[in-house]
Amino acid sequence: MPTNPRVRPTLRERFAFAVQVPCDFILKVACGTYPTFLGLFKLLPPSYLAWASSVKARKAYYRALRKVPAYGEFVRAQAGPNIPETDKESYIRPFPTAARCVDGTFFHLRTMIDESSGSTGTPYNWVRSERERRESHVFVSYFATYCFGREPWIAINAFSMGAWATGLNMGLSLQKNGLVKNTGPDIAKILHTLRFFGPQQPYLICGYPPFLKHLVDVGQAEGFPFEQYRLFGLAGGEGMSEGLRDYLLRRFEKVYSGYGATDLEIGIAGETPVSVAIRRLARDRDDVRRALFGRDSRLPMLFQYNPIMHHAEVNEHGEVVFTITRASVLSPRIRYNVHDVGNVCTSDEMAARLAAVGVDIDQLRRESGDGDVRLPFLWVHGRRDYTISVMGANIYPEDLEQCLYQDTQLAEITHSFCLSVSEGADGAVRPRFLFEVSVAPDADLERRFAESIVPRLVALNADFREAWHEYPATLVPEIVLYRLCEGPFAADGGKIKQLRLLAA
């Protein structure tokens, strides 16, 4: 996306906009049916998609300048030559909701209000037009079809219901694929539904990754006959380690995740068969991991996204910045930063990176059963502020999850976990790992956690490994176990996302 924040397009930009008009019409027609949509994105070269995405992002910028009072005021108040980023602190908090909407009002027919989870401290309200919701629903529906096929299934929507963006919209999206029951995260109701309709047809169960694990654990404890059922899992709302995917695949045929943010919208990106194949290869091969994702200890979530709907770029801090490029957006987000650390590349660039370490992406597509849609890739390590640091070693929730799920016995009894820093009477600090377990905690179990987690963390996280060799006494983590819904996990029952970072 060009960086000069001029308030009127140049002649060159006007020409690009004119060329893009018939392309927009073709793309709109292509979204009418899934086969046409699929065929179009098989034909469009990655270089065209990158160009079209940047042009549409530029058009969205000028459109917001003209029509959105808050955005025009915000841009004109910024110093410097670049189009400024927006986020909650710089743009959402200072301006009222109406001023951030087209024509300065959200009183349009069939506007809906979503509320964010409040995981960053304060829940926010977000307004969306009927048309933008419908377009998002279509993409989510197509993503589900691409990953799970066109065989009829019963979708059980276990995302939290109410004002949250994901729950209601996920149910509406999947109605385009077949039957939907919106249970919310009610395990008893879900198991009852499975028993009531029986194993004659497959089920697509949607929910947060830890909830899908909890569903499996409770079902197994009750003797539910999972082996008689064909289950697919569609996760979202937070990252998922490959260890957790392996755990779920004991009961699910396939499990894929979607990526979104209430600040933006659901369905920004989604895992595909080839993206999961690449990620699992990166888990198993250090050379692939380094070639794709660098030296970060976290194995990022790897998605593909539709660049005609969302333009993604990366800032100097390694954070992914999004522009929703569609004209239907009631409250435009231009270069909006949710502070997720990650990166993007085209399909051709991904193929070149893999080829450099001897991997043929086309072979991965064939082996994984991918549909060969050459959309760009987006990877997300996690939120920049979801970390603890001890002796210069950054430790992330993703690290702890990856270590936990390498020990199936401990994973089976762990409902949740979080990280903190422990400070001693002398001011010395060390990492603290807290686990919510379904059995009675004792010193022996704490020792089992320590003996399992610590060696794996040393092997996984290069910063922690280096600090461990230099300051082993300081880096020995404090392991604290709690029964279900006790201690810092007592509030998780009232939240739609589990706590991952505990204030010291």
Side-chain angles (χ1 to χ4, degrees):
M1 185 176 180
T3 57
N4 192 325
R6 59 174 64 90
V7 296
R8 292 183 177 84
T10 64
L11 183 63
R12 182 176 181 178
E13 288 171 336
R14 291 176 187 273
F15 177 76
F17 296 164
V19 171
Q20 182 65 34
V21 169
C23 300
D24 277 344
F25 176 76
I26 293 171
L27 291 167
K28 183 177 180 180
V29 172
C31 287
T33 67
Y34 172 72
T36 309
F37 176 89
L38 198 66
L40 181 71
F41 279 97
K42 284 184 177 181
L43 293 174
L44 291 174
S47 57
Y48 167 79
L49 293 176
W51 172 82
S53 183
S54 64
V55 171
K56 288 177 68 65
R58 191 65 170 180
K59 289 172 69 175
Y61 161 72
Y62 286 121
R63 188 164 54 241
L65 272 180
R66 293 194 312 270
K67 297 186 175 184
V68 181
Y71 189 69
E73 181 181 342
F74 174 77
V75 169
R76 291 177 176 87
Q78 304 301 308
N82 297 331
I83 296 176
E85 292 181 14
T86 55
D87 64 8
K88 280 183 180 177
E89 292 302 317
S90 67
Y91 182 64
I92 302 302
R93 193 187 296 272
F95 294 98
T97 301
R100 290 185 274 107
C101 292
V102 172
D103 299 327
T105 180
F106 46 72
F107 279 101
H108 297 278
L109 189 63
R110 298 187 179 92
T111 295
M112 287 194 66
I113 304 172
D114 297 326
E115 185 173 292
S116 58
S117 67
S119 60
T120 57
T122 303
Y124 284 81
N125 287 285
W126 309 89
V127 293
R128 310 187 201 278
S129 73
E130 179 186 33
R131 182 180 158 199
E132 71 174 291
R133 295 195 316 275
R134 184 171 64 248
E135 291 168 346
S136 180
H137 295 164
V138 167
F139 184 67
V140 172
S141 171
Y142 287 176
F143 160 65
T145 302
Y146 189 80
C147 289
F148 301 106
R150 309 189 74 181
E151 178 184 5
W153 63 67
I154 295 176
I156 298 178
N157 180 14
F159 284 107
S160 298
M161 297 291 110
W164 318 117
T166 305
L168 178 62
N169 286 298
M170 183 61 69
L172 292 172
S173 301
L174 294 177
Q175 282 181 353
K176 300 178 181 299
N177 298 70
L179 297 174
V180 178
K181 183 174 182 181
N182 296 300
T183 63
D186 188 324
I187 290 178
K189 191 171 294 184
I190 293 168
L191 295 178
H192 169 73
T193 301
L194 294 173
R195 292 186 180 102
F196 185 89
F197 287 100
Q200 291 78 24
Q201 61 284 310
Y203 295 83
L204 176 65
I205 303 179
C206 312
Y208 298 102
F211 176 80
L212 295 183
K213 178 204 179 279
H214 192 39
L215 172 66
V216 168
D217 292 344
V218 172
Q220 289 179 162
E222 295 182 2
F224 184 83
F226 282 112
E227 66 280 358
Q228 298 178 17
Y229 287 75
R230 294 186 61 209
L231 303 179
F232 303 108
L234 177 55
E238 60 184 82
M240 177 174 64
S241 69
E242 287 306 312
L244 177 52
R245 194 195 311 272
D246 287 337
Y247 190 92
L248 295 174
L249 287 174
R250 298 189 303 173
R251 297 304 185 188
F252 290 83
E253 287 188 22
K254 299 177 183 178
V255 179
Y256 294 105
S257 282
Y259 174 76
T262 309
D263 303 30
L264 294 161
E265 60 184 347
I266 68 168
I268 294 173
E271 288 186 317
T272 58
V274 73
S275 79
V276 171
I278 293 169
R279 188 182 190 228
R280 291 171 80 83
L281 188 64
R283 175 193 62 177
D284 299 335
R285 287 181 50 178
D286 287 341
D287 59 334
V288 174
R289 183 176 185 151
R290 288 193 301 271
L292 300 183
F293 310 127
R295 296 184 59 83
D296 196 304
S297 67
R298 296 169 292 177
L299 182 65
M301 297 294 296
L302 180 61
F303 308 100
Q304 290 185 275
Y305 68 99
N306 181 349
I308 305 304
M309 294 176 65
H310 304 101
H311 181 67
E313 51 188 311
V314 180
N315 67 15
E316 65 273 19
H317 303 297
E319 298 168 325
V320 186
V321 178
F322 294 96
T323 298
I324 305 177
T325 62
R326 308 192 308 280
S328 60
V329 178
L330 175 59
S331 179
R333 260 79 85 215
I334 309 296
R335 302 200 75 227
Y336 191 85
N337 190 346
V338 295
H339 299 287
D340 277 342
V341 176
N343 213 326
V344 295
C345 72
T346 68
S347 179
D348 285 349
E349 289 168 343
M350 177 61 76
R353 292 187 185 202
L354 289 169
V357 287
V359 177
D360 183 353
I361 193 172
D362 290 325
Q363 182 179 348
L364 286 180
R365 287 192 171 104
R366 290 190 296 270
E367 291 174 350
S368 64
D370 192 84
D372 194 24
V373 175
R374 297 173 188 268
L375 293 172
F377 289 87
L378 158 72
W379 56 95
V380 177
H381 291 284
R383 292 287 164 89
R384 174 170 290 278
D385 54 355
Y386 282 15
T387 179
I388 62 172
S389 184
V390 179
M391 301 304 292
N394 290 331
I395 308 171
Y396 305 93
E398 294 84 359
D399 292 335
L400 195 53
E401 180 177 73
Q402 192 166 337
C403 294
L404 173 66
Y405 280 98
Q406 290 182 52
D407 189 324
T408 304
Q409 290 182 337
L410 294 183
E412 286 178 343
I413 63 172
T414 303
H415 182 66
S416 187
F417 65 89
C418 63
L419 290 72
S420 183
V421 173
S422 172
E423 183 172 348
D426 59 353
V429 298
R430 60 177 174 142
R432 176 192 288 157
F433 302 154
L434 305 95
F435 298 91
E436 182 186 20
V437 296
S438 58
V439 299
D442 57 30
D444 287 340
L445 188 56
E446 288 181 354
R447 187 163 49 252
R448 280 186 59 199
F449 270 90
E451 291 172 352
S452 176
I453 296 294
V454 174
R456 291 186 168 100
L457 185 60
V458 170
L460 171 67
N461 186 318
D463 289 344
F464 185 82
R465 181 168 60 252
E466 185 66 24
W468 178 266
H469 293 322
E470 295 179 357
Y471 316 101
T474 305
L475 269 294
V476 174
E478 177 184 350
I479 304 292
V480 187
L481 306 182
Y482 293 90
R483 289 299 301 263
L484 297 179
C485 299
E486 291 183 354
F489 303 100
D492 270 359
K495 296 180 179 179
I496 67 171
K497 293 185 180 180
Q498 293 181 341
L499 178 74
R500 286 291 178 253
L501 193 65
L502 182 66

